[in-house]
Amino acid sequence: MNISIIGSGYVGLVTGACFAELGNKVICADNDTEKISDLKKGVIPIYEPGLEELVANNLKRKRLRFTTSIKEAVKESEIIFIAVGTPSLGNGEADLTGIENVARQIAINMSSYRLIAEKSTVPVETGEWVKHTISTHVKRNVKFDVASNPEFLREGCAINDFMHPDRIVIGVESKKARDILLSLYKPLHAPIVITNIKSAELIKHASNAFLATKISFINAVSNICDKVGAQITEVAEGMGLDKRIGSSFLNAGVGYGGSCFPKDLDAFITISEKLGYNFELLKAVKDINEQQKACVLGKLKDALWIIKDKTIGVLGLSFKPSTDDIRNAPSLDIIKALEAEGANIKVYDPQAMAKARSMLKNAKFCKDPYQACKDADCLLIVTEWDEFKELDFTRVKKLLKRPLIIDGRNIYDPKKLSKLGFIYIGIGRSEK
Ligand code: UDX
């Protein structure tokens, strides 16, 4: 099929490359000329395992093309995905300026039937506005359909998520749109949920909000574990084996971050409010997530007493492993709070340091985890990169000023570290 993706950010790029890999002819468009000129040369602006190879392979086979011209993209494709950003406005609302703009440009450039599918995460009823915008600007007698086809890609494993999805959600209003999307996704052999457009839009917001709720729930329980000396990892295991609950997304830690959960939660709370519903549950989920960062600071203070002039070695900047993404990363808030109290920060991350440098002007960026440990009063784990799980602890102990580890992601075995002579403090894992 001939497909265009408007917006070559994280979602657009992965989606475009994967559709091309499935044998479709794909045009990825973006108004960022520098980005497009890099992409034409195979230079990928983000770190996502496997993406560079996928793009290179499909560029070579001429199944993937990049352009700055929406006109060209619309002219040559029957299906047009909108994958532009929907950032948060200051008040939590999603900024849909990009969506409106693209919808208008698609309409102006359409001269025969097109299926326009929303990929970006958008508040419920955006599809209605897209339809309205296209109707207003399209030439008379040109037919089109609008669909909602939300993505559920996780950074770090986005290609695998695309190729092996738990489900594909298709929100449509016509048989034609339904048939086109069904045949596009047929090669993936995945369960397909067909709904109306509003339900599809809501599935996306509700799924992300539910996952964030699961994380905040287990983080809240971890606070109780700390108070009584129970082990959150055991509690989570015992809960997760209940099939109705499920074991994923029950890892307690420093809180969730990233480009999706915080933004989507805000947008869901705001659209609910606009529709006349006060979604208090989600407000609490958000609050707990903020408190979790403060909880890590509290643990540091309990262990070090005064933070001023102490050196903290921080391992991990990205909001989760296998990505260089630091958007809404808990690391940034934690480091800034520590610096505000007068701490010296030494930090290491396998991928995210380049992106973080301009935001953390006072931190010392280290070449490896051991340099971050050298002469530090404490080692703080913020992101659970595999590299940190296999440290040489004898070396770490020699390098640290005090053998204190605050494990913000519960990646270490507390008993093993205690045996090696460390003071180990995890999340919801204190011994009483
Ligand atoms: C998420 C959704 O999973 C995906 O479906 C959607 O399309 C985009 O948003 P992503 O932001 O890439 O994907 O990351 P995800 O793996 O879901 O993790 C989100 C955050 O939750 C991370 O900060 C992670 O560290 C945190 N998390 C996750 C926990 O703290 N505990 C867990 O048990 C799981």
Side-chain angles (χ1 to χ4, degrees):
M1 289 181 157
N2 291 314
I3 302 171
S4 278
I5 320 270
I6 316 291
S8 300
Y10 188 83
V11 171
L13 205 50
V14 172
T15 306
C18 288
F19 275 137
E21 184 68 14
L22 292 177
N24 300 288
K25 282 200 126 180
V26 180
I27 302 177
C28 284
D30 202 290
N31 57 8
D32 183 336
T33 43
E34 202 179 318
K35 189 197 272 181
I36 291 297
S37 110
D38 279 351
L39 284 167
K40 281 182 178 168
K41 291 179 233 145
V43 178
I44 311 291
I46 49 168
Y47 170 76
E48 177 64 33
L51 185 59
E52 201 171 316
E53 294 83 332
L54 210 63
V55 169
N57 183 31
N58 285 286
L59 274 174
K60 205 167 85 194
R61 289 166 182 247
K62 303 208 178 323
R63 291 190 299 228
L64 185 60
R65 239 163 69 201
F66 295 100
T67 180
T68 49
S69 160
I70 290 200
K71 187 175 179 182
E72 178 189 337
V74 174
K75 197 171 144 223
E76 296 190 27
S77 313
E78 187 179 24
I79 316 173
I80 301 158
F81 285 96
I82 304 181
V84 294
T86 51
S88 222
L89 289 168
N91 60 358
E93 208 174 319
D95 182 353
L96 302 175
T97 322
I99 302 261
E100 195 217 29
N101 196 9
V102 166
R104 196 175 339 106
Q105 292 195 53
I106 292 173
I108 292 167
N109 289 296
M110 254 164 55
S111 49
S112 57
Y113 176 85
R114 294 290 180 267
L115 168 61
I116 298 99
E118 301 169 333
K119 252 300 168 209
S120 313
T121 302
V122 289
V124 63
E125 293 185 326
T126 302
E128 291 285 307
W129 280 106
V130 169
K131 220 175 2 175
H132 173 76
T133 308
I134 297 177
S135 306
T136 314
H137 295 280
V138 76
K139 291 178 204 92
R140 269 180 59 200
N141 301 327
V142 175
K143 299 227 171 343
F144 68 93
D145 275 307
V146 169
S148 166
N149 172 219
E151 54 80 25
F152 299 99
L153 310 175
R154 285 166 302 172
E155 292 187 22
C157 48
I159 292 167
N160 188 62
D161 284 351
F162 185 97
M163 295 297 185
H164 308 281
D166 288 346
R167 81 310 203 178
I168 291 160
V169 174
I170 289 176
V172 280
E173 285 177 346
S174 80
K175 184 173 177 309
K176 184 166 184 176
R178 174 178 179 262
D179 291 347
I180 291 174
L181 288 171
L182 281 179
S183 60
L184 177 64
Y185 280 110
K186 201 167 168 211
L188 294 182
H189 306 290
I192 298 189
V193 182
I194 299 170
T195 68
N196 67 24
I197 294 178
K198 289 177 192 172
S199 299
E201 290 169 336
L202 269 174
I203 287 171
K204 171 68 194 204
H205 260 167
S207 300
N208 273 359
F210 190 82
L211 291 169
T213 304
K214 244 183 140 178
I215 299 169
S216 279
F217 185 88
I218 205 68
N219 281 336
V221 177
S222 79
N223 284 283
I224 308 298
C225 287
D226 271 337
K227 291 189 191 303
V228 298
Q231 298 291 315
I232 192 63
T233 43
E234 295 173 358
V235 175
E237 189 188 358
M239 286 170 61
L241 284 172
D242 184 327
K243 289 197 181 66
R244 294 168 301 175
I245 296 173
S247 57
S248 55
F249 277 69
L250 285 183
N251 296 323
V254 296
Y256 60 76
S259 64
C260 291
F261 285 179
K263 168 178 83 77
D264 292 354
L265 221 66
D266 278 344
F268 201 14
I269 292 169
T270 314
I271 187 77
S272 304
E273 225 144 52
K274 264 193 176 173
L275 294 166
Y277 181 72
N278 179 10
F279 215 144
E280 291 214 69
L281 173 66
L282 297 187
K283 292 179 183 168
V285 166
K286 227 181 115 170
D287 285 348
I288 293 169
N289 199 53
E290 288 308 308
Q291 281 164 31
Q292 211 53 22
K293 294 173 227 174
C295 157
V296 174
L297 293 179
K299 284 175 189 284
L300 272 160
K301 283 185 187 171
D302 286 348
L304 291 174
W305 187 26
I306 305 295
I307 298 292
K308 191 169 185 310
D309 295 332
K310 297 272 163 57
T311 300
I312 318 284
V314 177
L315 295 188
L317 284 167
S318 55
F319 80 100
K320 65 172 197 177
S322 301
T323 175
D324 62 349
D325 198 340
I326 51 165
R327 285 177 288 177
N328 294 305
S331 63
L332 300 180
D333 287 342
I334 293 171
I335 290 174
K336 281 179 189 156
L338 285 168
E339 285 180 340
E341 299 233 7
N344 303 310
I345 302 294
K346 296 176 83 181
V347 62
Y348 170 75
D349 186 286
Q351 290 293 340
M353 293 204 286
K355 286 198 171 153
R357 259 178 226 278
S358 62
M359 301 176 80
L360 300 173
K361 294 237 162 59
N362 298 320
K364 178 174 169 28
F365 286 80
C366 299
K367 68 174 185 355
D368 63 27
Y370 300 102
Q371 199 184 24
C373 292
K374 192 165 183 325
D375 296 328
D377 293 275
C378 168
L379 182 64
L380 170 64
I381 312 295
V382 181
T383 316
E384 66 277 33
W385 285 93
D386 281 345
E387 186 179 340
F388 305 155
K389 294 179 184 165
E390 307 296 334
L391 293 180
D392 173 349
F393 287 107
T394 316
R395 193 171 162 202
V396 169
K397 191 156 170 253
K398 273 194 202 137
L399 289 167
L400 286 173
K401 230 190 280 175
R402 339 176 173 198
L404 172 63
I405 295 188
I406 309 238
D407 181 0
R409 293 289 183 177
N410 289 346
I411 58 175
Y412 300 129
D413 177 352
K415 289 208 175 80
K416 190 179 147 196
L417 287 197
S418 300
K419 245 192 207 156
L420 289 169
F422 286 95
I423 301 162
Y424 174 88
I425 300 169
I427 305 287
R429 305 175 100 182
S430 69
E431 298 282 352
K432 287 271 162 181

